[in-house]
Amino acid sequence: MEPYRIKAVEPIPFPTRTERERALARAGHNLFRVPAAQVTIDLLTDSGTGSMSAAQWAALMTGDEAYACSTSYVRFETVVRGISGFDEIMPVHQGRAAERVVFSTLLGPGDIVVSNTHFDTTRAHVEVTGSEARDLPCPEAADLDSDQPFKGNIDLRALADLLAGPDGHRVKAVVMTVTNNGGGGQPVSLDNLRRVRAVCDEHGLAFLLDASRFAENSWLIRQREQEHRHREPIDIAREVFGLADVFWASLKKDGLANIGGVIGVRANPDLAGRFRQLVILNEGFSTYGGLAGRDLEALAQGLTEVTDPRYLADRADTASWFAETLHKAGVPVIRPAGCHAVYVRAGEILPHIPAHQFPGHAWSCALYLEGGVRAVEFGSLLLGSGGGTAPHELVRLALPRRVYTRSHLEFVVEAAIAVGRTADDLTGYRIVGGSPALRHFTAVLEPVAFP
Ligand SMILES: *Cc1c(COP(=O)(O)O)cnc(C)c1O
């Protein structure tokens, strides 16, 4: 059960079917453009959508808004140091701000960065420097039916081959994303991370950690990697951070707050100085990084709550219960589930809709019309901007932290079952407007008529 009780509640909207149809049409059939007031259950993202605890709300009031070296910064720095062991800690306003600082400093044209999978903003910030972002996910990641426990791992053999080959000298860094958000929220094992450290030592590469879901990954290591089953999640997290040279995180995830990010640098005052200069240029003085003192307080408190084993056990259990319940109801999903989302295999539910007519998008729109549930397509609409198609046509049902109970998710399961009953009647979509960069945010679409 949830290891907390509810102290403040917020009513949720219940638009009628007609209102939902109107809202979707007005939004150009793009769920990013549907007003939140027309959404009953919002599973669009787990980023910045969590509930804060009573202790976090209380901490907000103690926010010190001094411009430099505020008390709130000192508290934030102390907490982040305690978890990460890094000496230089710089807050920034969110994850992509950290990526901009890190990559514009470390990379130049022609460099290669390798990752288990770059998250989309990570890839964009690598590419904008003229470098190449190369994903080397483990082979099991492509197999939706594999029950391999660590489908977020990097392919160590492919990494060794790349380093031994003609492009080897261009590789500057390895980015490990925990958990692997772009790869379905799958965890990375501690064994895989330790081996990456050894490869980086051998070849003089920087080990960069995208730690946005460090607590969830630590929990999944404890659950799935035999030798760590008795360790505390905070202890596993400390070891993971200890492997990296530089880390950053979007604290809109495991920071348990609504905004924030952080960069950490270990034992490299020169590099920290270069990062600090860019933080000051882009974000604000390096002890607030675009955040208010009260945000730093909420984050410091959230970061002490997120490694609580009871919280993490409930989060992981809820995700796996949600995935298993959908599966048993005949809705195909990726299993085993991670922590932050369940991915529906929409391409298999709607085999009559070709990839270029976005079956995942069709399923998401149908789910919204059925129950007012907002999800996001993770298929050829989101991944196929270059004109290509995605390997799988998925829909992500993200789980905001501490927001919805299981009965809310039962409602989502019922809506998903109802969509399945109408599958044969659903049609694809085509894009008729919007801008090409990250096109899923702005696309205007219309349903394709049956031939
Ligand atoms: C969300 C996320 C980011 C980007 O962070 P923002 O706070 O959205 O800018 C980077 N990496 C990963 C793995 C993420 O999940």
Side-chain angles (χ1 to χ4, degrees):
M1 65 178 184
E2 292 85 355
Y4 45 79
R5 56 191 171 207
I6 295 164
K7 190 174 202 116
V9 298
E10 184 178 34
I12 55 181
F14 286 94
T16 63
R17 171 101 196 184
T18 314
E19 286 166 337
R20 298 196 292 269
E21 284 168 357
R22 224 177 275 147
L24 190 62
R26 234 183 261 139
H29 299 95
N30 183 341
L31 291 161
F32 281 99
R33 297 157 55 117
V34 169
Q38 299 294 327
V39 176
T40 302
I41 305 281
D42 204 343
L43 307 186
L44 187 75
T45 175
D46 67 318
S47 180
T49 53
S51 294
M52 294 211 294
S53 65
Q56 284 177 291
W57 285 108
L60 280 189
M61 286 304 295
T62 66
D64 174 7
E65 305 302 343
Y67 189 94
C69 305
S70 70
T71 317
S72 300
Y73 170 71
V74 174
R75 198 163 298 150
F76 174 82
E77 182 192 38
T78 305
V79 169
V80 177
R81 268 194 193 146
I83 297 169
S84 68
F86 277 62
D87 40 354
E88 301 273 1
I89 307 294
M90 288 168 237
V92 289
H93 83 279
Q94 62 182 88
R96 67 199 69 184
E99 291 167 343
R100 180 180 161 86
V101 168
V102 169
F103 291 122
S104 63
T105 305
L106 293 181
L107 299 180
D111 292 341
I112 297 177
V113 178
V114 184
S115 178
N116 53 340
T117 303
H118 294 82
F119 181 62
D120 59 6
T121 58
T122 318
R123 167 176 292 279
H125 279 293
V126 169
E127 290 175 349
V128 85
T129 68
S131 304
E132 183 189 334
R134 209 175 281 189
D135 290 339
L136 298 179
C138 64
E140 298 85 2
D143 181 357
L144 301 188
D145 290 311
S146 154
D147 55 7
Q148 210 273 344
F150 290 105
K151 290 196 273 188
N153 285 354
I154 196 167
D155 184 339
L156 290 160
R157 181 172 305 170
L159 177 59
D161 289 348
L162 172 63
L163 289 168
D167 287 340
H169 66 284
R170 291 168 51 206
V171 178
K172 290 290 165 336
V174 180
V175 173
M176 292 302 288
T177 313
V178 299
T179 56
N180 193 344
N181 189 8
Q186 296 291 322
V188 184
S189 71
L190 192 45
D191 179 64
N192 194 249
L193 291 161
R194 287 174 178 165
R195 288 172 196 270
V196 168
R197 178 71 261 176
V199 172
C200 289
D201 286 341
E202 191 185 330
H203 294 268
L205 308 177
F207 183 139
L208 313 180
L209 183 71
D210 180 344
S212 298
R213 294 182 183 77
F214 73 95
E216 294 179 359
N217 199 71
S218 298
W219 183 258
L220 294 171
I221 285 174
R222 171 177 146 134
Q223 275 195 323
R224 299 183 188 179
E225 209 168 358
Q226 184 67 6
E227 62 175 298
H228 305 299
R229 69 188 184 283
H230 298 305
R231 292 177 71 181
E232 290 296 319
I234 180 73
D235 176 42
I236 296 173
R238 286 194 184 112
E239 180 174 345
V240 170
F241 279 107
L243 295 169
D245 300 303
V246 168
F247 88 89
W248 70 88
S250 166
L251 297 178
K252 300 175 72 173
K253 285 78 173 227
D254 276 351
L256 293 182
N258 305 113
I259 195 71
V262 65
I263 306 172
V265 183
R266 185 195 306 288
N268 192 337
D270 171 58
L271 186 64
R274 287 155 73 201
F275 284 178
R276 189 171 298 111
Q277 202 164 303
L278 282 177
V279 170
I280 294 172
L281 203 59
N282 293 302
E283 293 284 290
F285 188 60
S286 58
T287 61
Y288 75 86
L291 298 170
R294 56 179 170 273
D295 297 326
L296 294 169
E297 291 286 345
L299 287 166
Q301 178 61 29
L303 286 166
T304 62
E305 294 175 8
V306 75
T307 51
D308 172 9
R310 285 189 195 280
Y311 159 74
L312 288 168
D314 174 60
R315 183 144 173 87
D317 288 355
T318 298
S320 98
W321 168 85
F322 190 31
E324 293 309 309
T325 307
L326 285 163
H327 171 75
K328 284 188 207 126
V331 181
V333 296
I334 299 184
R335 295 185 303 152
C339 280
H340 83 287
V342 169
Y343 291 73
V344 175
R345 298 155 67 162
E348 293 163 36
I349 305 173
L350 304 173
H352 59 286
I353 301 180
H356 68 272
Q357 291 179 4
F358 314 128
H361 184 73
W363 194 85
S364 315
C365 288
L367 186 70
Y368 173 71
L369 291 176
E370 183 61 44
V373 179
R374 175 152 67 172
V376 67
E377 190 255 16
F378 253 66
S380 294
L381 176 59
L382 186 126
L383 301 168
S385 316
T389 55
H392 306 287
E393 301 300 332
L394 304 173
V395 173
R396 185 183 75 179
L397 299 168
L399 299 169
R401 292 167 182 78
R402 307 190 293 201
V403 171
Y404 294 117
T405 64
R406 288 202 188 185
S407 62
H408 290 117
L409 298 180
E410 280 168 3
F411 175 89
V412 176
V413 173
E414 283 166 25
I417 293 171
V419 170
R421 283 195 212 104
T422 64
D424 292 345
D425 304 328
L426 299 180
T427 66
Y429 283 81
R430 74 171 140 253
I431 298 178
V432 295
S435 49
L438 294 172
R439 65 178 179 180
H440 55 285
F441 286 122
T442 58
V444 178
L445 299 106
E446 67 182 22
V448 178
F450 267 116

